Amino acid sequence: MCHREQPGQPTQQIERKKENLMKKYDVIIVGSGTAGYTVAKACTDADLKVALVEEDVFGGTCALNGCQPKKFFVVQAELIGMAQHLEGKGVVQSPILDWKRTAAFKNEFTDAVPSGSEKSFAGMGVTLYKGSARFVEAGVLEVGDTQLQAESIVLATGARARVLDLPGWEFTRNSNDFLAQPELPASCLFIGGGYIAFEFAHVAAAYGAQVTILDHTNRVLRQFEAELVDAAVEASEAAGISIHTQQVTTGIKRTDGGYLVRCQGGAEYEAEAVYGFAGRVANLEGLNLEALGVSPDSRGLVVDSTMQVEGVPGLYAVGDCARTPALAPVADREALVAATNIAGQSLKMDYSALPSVCFTQPPLASVGLTEEAARNQDLNFEVRRGDMTGWPNQRRIGATHGRYKLLIGEKGQVLGAHILGHEAGDQINLFALAMKGGLKGDAFKEIMWAYPTLTSDTKYMV
Ligand SMILES: Cc1cc2nc3c(=O)[nH]c(=O)nc-3n(C[C@H](O)[C@H](O)[C@H](O)COP(=O)(O)OP(=O)(O)OC[C@H]3O[C@@H](n4cnc5c(N)ncnc54)[C@H](O)[C@@H]3O)c2cc1C
């Protein structure tokens, strides 16, 4: 179980710097996020001697600045969406959200993470070093004046918000800032149309801000199925979010009331706060990977199926610092794969049937191939698509947007599933299970699902 769900356990001292001493371990982990935690747990369970280096507070992105804190705001935005859809249908008045109070509620969770995380590592018997890790040579890391040596080193250093080289970028706030802001600005402009921008846009709109998204390409949410993205854009616009594509930002200027964003072609947009959501880059620079003959790349380290960095035996990269999908469950699985191989057993990484969700209102969820990807692979398949808003489960909640699209292969197998709808994230997990377990689409019709539930609606999709 990863620490983001279960922090806690006994205390432990952090090793103080001891000058010019070489400390030896079986495994050194760099980074205390969900990937670092999972490696530590699996390696200590296998009785390996483990050290972990962390340069910031313990806990990592998911628990402190990502999945977990974000959902405190997302669930309240969901509440507003539901209430608005049911206004006049029994709901007399929509609730009013209070950013400050939600932030305080969220902080109760996040404030406890660093100490809980540190205690968890201590409970496992991991020796902790506070500072930035840097390679001296293969198998040897330096933290301050202390040198650490191990046969296996696992990089779990994560990623951070990309900084664009354009005038005024210093005025932008990033996703950490969005989640930490004590008050929500009256108008928010997001540069970048990826999943974080869309999720935060829906949150900000539900809390009453005027929201604008600018994307430099002609398609937002590019990793999702195009047809459903169009429906998600419609739902977003209906929620009051203004979306502009093919807007290449050229500069940001301070104004009396906030900031002015200039784009190629002359378009200008104003907002009280501007957020830069131009993707994320792997945290690799400070590690002196050059000493091992590795050139760091912002897209992350290239790894093999055991999570070893190509060309460097004994060096592993897991989670967001590897060039693999940047999602928490992926980080956890990669960490387990690395630890299992370090402990002398064989386990390979498999990225098939990987579900993902963009927590818009309603959420957009996806697993497997998009239609474009299936066509590029020359696969034979049938498309099943539909609008769910007429279905009883959707009517009851007053849903105005709800669509699905399935790709069913020639043997009846699910090749891809894409859903825009209330609790689509939970529905998509079922399709992931079916794909992983080799269940055919028809299996969804054979099960007598508990009824009426959103799960039971999956049988109408296949
Ligand atoms: C806003 C946001 C929302 C997200 N929402 C979701 C979601 O809904 N679902 C989902 O699956 N994923 C989501 N993610 C992605 C998810 O958070 C990451 O995939 C996951 O947290 C990566 O974990 P990690 O352990 O690889 O890295 P991290 O948790 O980032 O940990 C890396 C750690 O390494 C430390 N470190 C870095 N360099 C060094 C060094 N040289 N020396 C010592 N320490 C170092 C850092 O300080 C950090 O603590 C979201 C991300 C963001 C930003």
Side-chain angles (χ1 to χ4, degrees):
M1 173 138 341
C2 95
H3 81 283
R4 62 176 194 274
E5 285 156 355
Q6 197 182 55
Q9 290 176 32
T11 44
Q12 117 132 34
Q13 285 182 337
I14 294 174
E15 277 275 334
R16 302 277 165 229
K17 285 182 199 169
K18 288 182 190 148
E19 296 205 349
N20 303 323
L21 276 179
M22 176 81 88
K23 306 275 195 168
K24 296 197 173 163
Y25 298 92
D26 295 320
V27 188
I28 304 167
I29 301 160
V30 187
S32 70
T34 193
Y37 175 91
T38 307
V39 177
K41 181 82 178 75
C43 286
T44 51
D45 282 350
D47 286 332
L48 296 171
K49 191 179 171 199
V50 179
L52 183 141
V53 190
E54 173 56 63
E55 66 183 8
D56 200 341
V57 295
F58 291 96
T61 303
C62 182
L64 290 165
N65 293 305
C67 339
Q68 297 289 356
K70 164 188 94 183
K71 281 220 89 179
F72 280 77
F73 294 99
V74 167
V75 291
Q76 301 203 355
E78 228 166 57
L79 192 71
I80 288 289
M82 290 268 270
Q84 282 172 351
H85 287 150
L86 291 171
E87 238 181 282
K89 300 180 174 101
V91 172
V92 177
Q93 200 181 351
S94 273
I96 297 165
L97 297 184
D98 180 336
W99 182 274
K100 262 191 185 153
R101 288 192 192 181
T102 314
F105 183 39
K106 180 262 302 177
N107 290 344
E108 281 176 29
F109 175 88
T110 48
D111 288 352
V113 169
S115 62
S117 170
E118 193 175 334
K119 282 180 190 164
S120 293
F121 286 119
M124 297 173 203
V126 174
T127 306
L128 300 176
Y129 291 87
K130 203 76 205 279
S132 299
R134 211 173 167 277
F135 279 95
V136 177
E137 58 187 76
V140 181
L141 281 172
E142 194 174 63
V143 187
D145 296 327
T146 309
Q147 292 205 339
L148 314 176
Q149 187 187 43
E151 233 171 73
S152 304
I153 295 183
V154 185
L155 299 180
T157 52
R160 63 182 185 283
R162 183 187 300 281
V163 172
L164 294 186
D165 183 18
L166 56 87
W169 190 261
E170 67 276 13
F171 298 131
T172 61
R173 308 176 189 190
N174 62 27
S175 57
N176 293 4
D177 301 325
F178 182 87
L179 291 169
Q181 60 198 356
E183 289 189 25
L184 182 70
S187 53
C188 304
L189 186 145
F190 299 103
I191 299 176
Y195 85 93
I196 294 177
F198 268 80
E199 289 177 344
F200 287 179
H202 277 263
V203 164
Y207 278 82
Q210 262 195 327
V211 182
T212 306
I213 295 177
L214 305 182
D215 194 90
H216 67 295
T217 69
N218 60 2
R219 207 177 128 192
V220 293
L221 296 171
R222 284 183 289 283
Q223 74 271 41
F224 289 94
E225 173 65 45
E227 215 172 293
L228 293 205
V229 169
D230 290 345
V233 165
E234 254 180 46
S236 305
E237 287 173 341
I241 298 164
S242 169
I243 299 163
H244 305 267
T245 53
Q246 293 182 297
Q247 296 300 306
V248 180
T249 307
T250 53
I252 302 159
K253 223 175 74 178
R254 215 195 271 273
T255 61
D256 286 344
Y259 299 94
L260 180 82
V261 176
R262 287 220 168 93
C263 294
Q264 263 173 23
E268 292 183 337
Y269 301 88
E270 265 193 278
E272 194 180 316
V274 179
Y275 301 82
F277 292 154
R280 295 184 55 84
V281 297
N283 287 326
L284 296 170
E285 292 86 354
L287 289 161
N288 191 29
L289 281 159
E290 294 78 2
L292 316 183
V294 176
S295 310
D297 181 316
S298 65
R299 291 170 298 170
L301 291 167
V302 179
V303 287
D304 65 18
S305 59
T306 68
M307 302 314 296
Q308 272 193 89
V309 175
E310 275 188 359
V312 192
L315 179 66
Y316 295 77
V318 295
D320 286 5
C321 70
R323 198 177 302 178
T324 55
L327 291 169
V330 174
D332 288 346
R333 185 71 192 166
E334 290 179 342
L336 187 71
V337 167
T340 304
N341 284 286
I342 290 169
Q345 287 169 359
S346 172
L347 185 63
K348 290 192 171 166
M349 195 58 206
D350 171 11
Y351 296 96
S352 63
L354 173 64
S356 65
V357 189
C358 176
F359 290 100
T360 41
Q361 307 302 331
L364 173 62
S366 176
V367 63
L369 297 175
T370 59
E371 182 172 356
E372 191 183 357
R375 293 213 183 284
N376 289 342
Q377 291 181 29
D378 278 335
L379 296 174
N380 284 326
F381 61 91
E382 197 187 307
V383 174
R384 299 193 186 151
R385 56 162 68 83
D387 187 320
M388 305 185 290
T389 48
W391 296 2
N393 277 329
Q394 301 289 333
R395 286 174 59 188
R396 208 177 297 123
I397 58 169
T400 50
H401 293 85
R403 299 196 63 80
Y404 68 91
K405 178 170 178 179
L406 296 191
L407 309 184
I408 304 292
E410 51 193 356
K411 293 186 180 135
Q413 76 277 32
V414 180
L415 295 175
H418 311 279
I419 307 171
L420 175 81
H422 185 60
E423 301 296 359
D426 284 306
Q427 289 177 325
I428 215 70
N429 281 336
L430 284 183
F431 285 100
L433 187 66
M435 289 170 76
K436 203 75 180 175
L439 287 180
K440 293 191 175 166
D442 282 349
F444 283 85
K445 291 196 193 296
E446 288 163 18
I447 296 170
M448 292 169 280
W449 302 105
Y451 182 85
T453 59
L454 287 164
T455 309
S456 64
D457 280 354
T458 57
K459 72 168 178 265
Y460 308 130
M461 298 180 191
V462 296

